[in-house]
Amino acid sequence: MTDLTRMTAAQLASAIASKEASAVEVTTAHLDRIDAVDERVHAFLHVDREGALAAAERVDRGEVTGPLAGVPIAVKDVIATKGVPTTAASKILEGWRPPYDATLVERLRAAGTVMLGKTNMDEFAMGSSTEYSAYGPTNNPWDLGRIPGGSGGGSAAALAAYEAPLAIGTDTGGSIRQPGAVTGTVGAKPTYGGTSRYGLIAFSSSLDTPGPCARTVEDAALLHSVIAGHDPRDSTSIPQPVPDVVAAARRGGSGDLAGVKLGLVKEFAGDGSEPGVLAAFHESLEALVKLGAEVVEVSCPHFQYALPAYYLIAPSEASSNLARFDGVRYGLRTGDDGKHSLEEVMSLTREAGFGPEVKRRIILGTYALSSGYYDAYYGQAQKVRTLITRDFESAFEKVDVLVSPTTPFVAFPFGSRTSDPYQMYLADLFTIPTNLYGGPAISVPCGLSEGLPVGFQVMAPTMADDRMYRVAAALESAVGTFTPPAL
Amino acid sequence: MAAISREEVAHLARLSRLAVTEEELDRFAGQLDVILQSVARIGDVAADDIPPTSHSVPLTNVYRDDVPQPSLTQEQALSGAPDAYEGRFRVPRILDEED
């Protein structure tokens, strides 16, 4: 019999709809796989066996229909799931069970998906390796001694380890795309405002974007079409129709890119990328040219300031957003022994509940927002954000999409970038400009370097998410998908 | 010269309500100094006449009709609280007894 865990979401949805397989069989196969491998991978912080089987039974009884009826999914632990533990991988939210569902979780349920559980991540989505999870890192299924990327390393590793065919991530500076790249899976960041942030635990509100993770471009597009669309509960949600990303992925999958112009960002050339990453990227470019695409060099002179701008804007917003964790309304409370004042209890709670990267970013953000430094740091970063947006807009007058490696290096060994936080930040060098601009971008596997996956990034104009799916699917049709060694 | 001193980090930690340890102060001061020196080149960009961007969505003042919507019950809203009393969040003492 076919191994149900090796099938794509599209294949599973079709098999369940035609009764070739039951939703309970599909769910059980994935829960068994989690039992078999997750002790080594640690992709999940919480497995909701009971909830998943109950949801699958409802699909089998015909009570729930929908485009992805019966297809299992893993959800990043930064997204509120009613009654199911949600920690953002932080000790400060240990044991918290949200009293409501995020909008995208409601949409996943309406589409018939079966939630298997919650995936590991860097605490509050701050990191590029899952090493900042308060519950221990996730191990990359390609090499268990290496990082799975971050912050959404758990979602990406769950896909690569065949524990789930679909997953949800969130992308603030690359947290969907970089884990996708280093695990050989597909990760898409939709246009900012294209997917709802309601029920997403906020890190940097002007950048946070939930999006789909999958093993194929078509599966990512299917998931994208289910979660995207206007939500009145999110004031930055875009009240416009969602581009037809599924049709675009299928069109690209046919391998025709005639007339499509790919922009190569001049300023990214030779910017610290490993030779193996560059080699796989350039081979992929040639493959796209064979499909009819044209490569045009474009200049984006302010991209070199994207990393500094991001590491001022994101911590500033985080320092404000994380003020809500004060030991009053939810989560941890420490030092409430009748001897400490409210303010002391708050400080002791936050000290005990937050990990080192979260504390660093709160302090950095507080600094960048303080009187006397505001104009030079936060204010200047917002102006640079305008200039980066203008760079994108002027590039998109000449080309249809921009392309680059997703991240400069393949999965690195644990511990190799934690002593100097700025070395970790460099993982996001190519993904961050898109977040500041607000457009969509996708990472698709394009080859291997020394046996480890390399990601190819396609960036598109805002609300032109369909374009990136077309190019990514065309590349996938040319280079194929990549399977890690057996666990 | 260091971009940020240990004393400044201690002050910022107090403002951030973080009861950091002496060891953390030593470590964070060095690390934040490296980060700040790395991001300082943002000042090289000539941007005096450039308007700031706070977010990328061209929307302002999103309103909805003033109609009551379903919301959490009091019990649900208190369900995650570390301490609750008679339907309210209970917090530690704010004022000293002699106040």
Side-chain angles (χ1 to χ4, degrees), chain B residues 32-67:
Chain B
L32 288 166
D33 190 51
V34 170
I35 295 169
L36 279 171
Q37 300 212 18
S38 306
V39 300
R41 62 195 178 87
I42 194 127
D44 300 345
V45 185
D48 284 351
D49 53 347
I50 304 297
T53 295
S54 60
H55 68 93
S56 62
V57 176
L59 292 172
T60 46
N61 295 345
V62 178
Y63 298 115
R64 66 167 172 81
D65 292 336
D66 188 14
V67 177

Side-chain angles (χ1 to χ4, degrees), chain A residues 192 206 235 304 327-331 333 342-343 347 350-351 359-360 366 373 380 382-383 385-386 422 437, chain B residues 8 16-17 19-20 24 31 38 41-42 45 47 50-51 53-54 56-57 62 80-82 89-90 92-93:
Chain A
Y192 175 82
S206 80
S235 64
Q304 59 172 309
V328 173
R329 287 154 297 169
Y330 28 67
R333 180 184 287 182
L342 177 66
E343 191 179 314
S347 300
R350 289 161 64 79
E351 168 64 14
K359 289 177 193 171
R360 273 193 292 273
T366 304
Y373 297 110
Q380 177 77 357
Q382 284 194 312
K383 290 176 177 182
R385 190 171 180 180
T386 305
Y422 202 77
Y437 159 58
Chain B
E8 277 180 290
S16 313
R17 302 288 181 270
V20 291
E24 279 178 312
Q31 289 171 334
S38 306
R41 62 195 178 87
I42 194 127
V45 185
I50 304 297
T53 295
S54 60
S56 62
V57 176
V62 178
F89 296 105
R90 194 188 155 278
R93 175 168 57 83

Side-chain angles (χ1 to χ4, degrees), chain A residues 307 311 357 360-361 421-429, chain B residues 35:
Chain A
L307 201 66
Y311 278 101
E357 180 64 11
R360 273 193 292 273
R361 294 206 196 184
Y422 202 77
Q423 286 302 310
M424 186 76 83
Y425 297 174
L426 291 174
D428 301 333
L429 197 60
Chain B
I35 295 169

Side-chain angles (χ1 to χ4, degrees), chain A residues 110-463:
Chain A
T113 63
V114 170
M115 192 181 76
L116 297 169
K118 307 296 290 290
T119 55
N120 196 17
M121 52 185 282
D122 289 290
E123 184 177 1
F124 286 105
M126 299 176 186
S128 307
S129 69
T130 72
E131 287 166 292
Y132 296 135
S133 167
Y135 303 100
T138 295
N139 304 314
N140 192 326
W142 285 80
D143 176 346
L144 297 173
R146 290 175 185 265
I147 62 103
S151 65
S155 285
L159 297 170
Y162 298 96
E163 295 171 280
L166 294 175
I168 293 290
T170 60
D171 195 311
T172 304
S175 285
I176 289 175
R177 290 164 285 160
Q178 183 257 1
V182 300
T183 58
T185 59
V186 178
K189 172 217 172 296
T191 295
Y192 175 82
T195 43
S196 170
R197 290 185 293 108
Y198 181 79
L200 163 63
I201 297 171
F203 159 19
S204 181
S205 303
S206 80
L207 303 167
D208 296 341
T209 312
C213 312
R215 286 192 298 263
T216 68
V217 175
E218 186 193 20
D219 279 2
L222 284 166
L223 182 53
H224 186 127
S225 68
V226 159
I227 59 172
H230 182 242
D231 176 16
R233 292 182 293 189
D234 173 357
S235 64
T236 54
S237 174
I238 298 175
Q240 282 176 35
V242 181
D244 192 344
V245 292
V246 176
R250 289 180 180 151
R251 184 178 175 205
S254 71
D256 176 19
L257 284 182
V260 174
K261 286 186 180 162
L262 312 175
L264 202 54
V265 180
K266 198 169 73 181
E267 287 77 7
F268 276 166
D271 214 350
S273 289
E274 290 172 353
V277 168
L278 282 178
F281 173 70
H282 286 291
E283 276 170 37
S284 304
L285 264 188
E286 283 167 29
L288 293 174
V289 169
K290 283 197 188 119
L291 299 178
E294 187 188 332
V295 177
V296 180
E297 192 178 75
V298 294
S299 175
C300 296
H302 300 95
F303 278 20
Q304 59 172 309
Y305 299 105
L307 201 66
Y310 177 86
Y311 278 101
L312 291 165
I313 291 171
S316 294
E317 294 188 12
S319 71
S320 168
N321 272 325
L322 270 60
R324 75 194 60 194
F325 299 101
D326 54 9
V328 173
R329 287 154 297 169
Y330 28 67
L332 187 73
R333 180 184 287 182
T334 303
D336 186 12
D337 53 7
K339 293 179 194 138
H340 292 104
S341 70
L342 177 66
E343 191 179 314
E344 286 165 341
V345 170
M346 282 182 187
S347 300
L348 291 167
T349 297
R350 289 161 64 79
E351 168 64 14
F354 290 142
E357 180 64 11
V358 174
K359 289 177 193 171
R360 273 193 292 273
R361 294 206 196 184
I362 289 174
I363 293 172
L364 180 61
T366 304
Y367 178 78
L369 291 175
S370 36
S371 140
Y373 297 110
Y374 183 97
D375 288 340
Y377 286 115
Y378 184 69
Q380 177 77 357
Q382 284 194 312
K383 290 176 177 182
V384 169
R385 190 171 180 180
T386 305
L387 292 168
I388 288 167
T389 300
R390 289 181 185 172
D391 280 357
F392 270 106
E393 287 169 349
S394 102
F396 287 134
E397 285 172 12
K398 302 181 195 84
V399 298
D400 298 300
V401 295
L402 298 178
V403 294
S404 75
T406 306
T407 180
F409 25 82
V410 294
F412 46 89
F414 287 109
S416 59
R417 288 179 186 268
T418 39
S419 59
D420 176 357
Y422 202 77
Q423 286 302 310
M424 186 76 83
Y425 297 174
L426 291 174
D428 301 333
L429 197 60
F430 302 142
T431 46
I432 275 176
T434 292
N435 295 86
L436 294 170
Y437 159 58
I442 190 168
S443 177
V444 58
C446 73
L448 299 177
S449 168
E450 292 174 22
L452 293 167
V454 176
F456 186 101
Q457 179 178 228
V458 185
M459 297 165 268
T462 47
M463 289 312 276

